[in-house]
Amino acid sequence: MIEFSGCDYLGLRTHPAVIGAARASLAADGLGAGASRATTGEHPVHLALERAVAGFLGTEAALLLPSGALANLALCATILEDQPTVWVDPRAHTSLRDGLRFGGREVPRPEEAKVILTDGVFPSRGEEPDLPALLAALPADGHLVVDDCHGTGVLGARGRGSVNAAGLEDPRIVITTTFSKALGGAGGVIATRRVIRDRIAAHPLHVGSTALPPAWAAAGLAALELLRNDATIHGRLLDRIARARAALAAEGVPLPPLPLPVFRFDVPAAGTDGILAELKATGLSVPHIHYPDGPPGGYLRAVVSAERTPEEIERLAEVLGRWYGTSSAHLSP
Ligand SMILES: Cc1ncc(COP(=O)(O)O)c(C=O)c1O
């Protein structure tokens, strides 16, 4: 089956340089970190990766955590401790909303909030928040938290993400992201000012967690180096997105304005089995997504990664275009 699924947008999950870095670290450092970074679990590669992330995302410092979800929780637990007013974008990832359990007083409008929580991009909706407007609404001592798990490696110059794509640089912006999507591995990170980074590092959610395995940090470092040093990695993804958009448009399928690798097709319940069978018969793996807050029939989520060939993309567009033309299904705007 040809994979049009998952979030390995750049194909780095199987890149020889990424695998090689992890393999070398496994041989040298073993499988796990063995302890929290607050005791004996810290490895030089953790610090090297934090420096690399801060440099890549343009922040003063960064803090690694074992996952993107935990990064969001540890950040919220730290900055919401004093019960500030907080606004959460209703489309934001569940781990940001879960962060409200740690504190904060929710307000209905971003203009009333000292802390704003949003994702940098909402790929299944083809939408992005108005980051400049959110920043403009923020007080001088506020925080604009941008979960950029789906923007990292995709948007901005060489995949520097949604904040870079919006042309923003501001010490009030805190970026959280994951190594588990476009960067191909695992682990979470918070990029922010040093003083906030150090406060989160002292929080029990960080102190009480075993450090990210060094091999995963080494893989993350290799992935970031590839993005920084090899323009073709990100360029290939942009090319594949452009090809997919052109091929789908040629089939008469309307497209969302944001050029993202994720293409969502809403499925009427009656048509689901037919399209899934046709995709399977054509050798195309496109998952049928059923999230609790999604449409009743679910939707198809086709991801066009940098690894897909132009021919494979044509084949996907042909099947989806044919199906689109003969049913009431539609690509979500
Ligand atoms: C927007 C967003 N934030 C956070 C996460 C969590 O990241 P991780 O899988 O590294 O915990 C995900 C998905 O996994 C996500 O899609």
Side-chain angles (χ1 to χ4, degrees):
M1 297 293 281
I2 301 161
E3 203 177 290
F4 282 101
S5 54
C7 300
D8 179 23
Y9 301 129
L10 294 166
L12 294 183
R13 193 162 62 107
T14 50
H15 193 287
V18 176
I19 302 284
R23 218 188 273 276
S25 172
L26 277 177
D29 309 313
L31 183 60
S36 161
R37 288 176 68 183
T39 56
T40 57
E42 185 158 281
H43 188 283
V45 75
H46 293 130
L47 297 167
L49 182 53
E50 287 176 347
R51 276 195 300 276
V53 169
F56 189 71
L57 297 180
T59 57
E60 194 181 18
L63 178 71
L64 283 177
L65 281 114
S67 75
L70 189 59
N72 281 341
L73 294 178
L75 169 67
C76 290
T78 306
I79 62 174
L80 299 183
E81 204 172 35
D82 303 336
Q83 306 299 328
T85 48
V86 53
W87 179 80
V88 194
D89 191 306
R91 302 161 294 180
H93 192 255
T94 172
S95 55
L96 277 183
R97 175 152 290 282
D98 284 346
L100 293 184
R101 296 165 195 246
F102 293 98
R105 284 183 293 116
E106 202 171 352
V107 291
R109 298 183 323 121
E111 293 77 11
E112 298 166 29
K114 192 163 168 186
V115 176
I116 292 176
L117 306 175
T118 182
D119 291 4
V121 64
F122 307 99
S124 294
R125 297 168 175 266
E127 294 171 3
E128 61 187 341
D130 187 344
L131 291 179
L134 291 177
L135 193 61
L138 207 62
D141 59 347
H143 301 292
L144 171 58
V145 173
V146 181
D147 173 337
D148 214 19
C149 285
H150 290 278
T152 305
V154 175
L155 298 171
R158 296 246 180 127
R160 284 182 165 77
S162 59
V163 173
N164 175 278
L168 297 174
E169 213 176 301
D170 190 297
R172 292 172 297 168
I173 299 177
V174 181
I175 302 169
T176 65
T177 190
T178 182
F179 286 89
S180 67
K181 299 187 190 294
L183 298 174
V189 68
I190 302 162
T192 180
R193 286 155 54 211
R194 176 152 298 281
V195 59
I196 302 172
R197 182 250 179 237
D198 291 347
R199 271 179 61 204
I200 307 165
H203 191 277
L205 280 175
H206 177 257
V207 173
S209 295
T210 300
L212 184 72
W216 264 248
L221 197 53
L224 279 188
E225 272 167 19
L226 279 171
L227 264 180
R228 249 197 351 243
N229 300 329
D230 182 351
T232 64
I233 302 264
H234 185 235
R236 195 175 309 121
L237 175 62
L238 298 185
D239 172 73
R240 299 308 190 259
I241 294 171
R243 282 175 189 275
R245 289 176 69 86
L248 285 164
E251 296 287 343
V253 179
L255 297 165
L258 261 187
L260 296 171
V262 176
F263 295 86
R264 164 182 163 168
F265 293 82
D266 286 349
V267 189
T272 314
D273 291 345
I275 178 63
L276 286 175
E278 191 175 343
L279 285 164
K280 197 170 169 195
T282 325
L284 306 175
S285 166
V286 178
H288 185 209
I289 306 287
H290 271 285
Y291 288 145
D293 55 350
Y299 56 89
L300 296 182
R301 187 179 188 274
V303 171
V304 177
S305 83
E307 288 199 299
R308 297 287 60 89
T309 66
E311 296 71 33
E312 291 166 345
I313 292 170
E314 287 290 337
R315 205 196 302 179
L316 176 79
E318 210 177 284
V319 176
L320 289 179
R322 190 163 58 242
W323 178 68
Y324 178 82
T326 56
S327 82
S328 57
H330 61 280
L331 185 71
S332 188

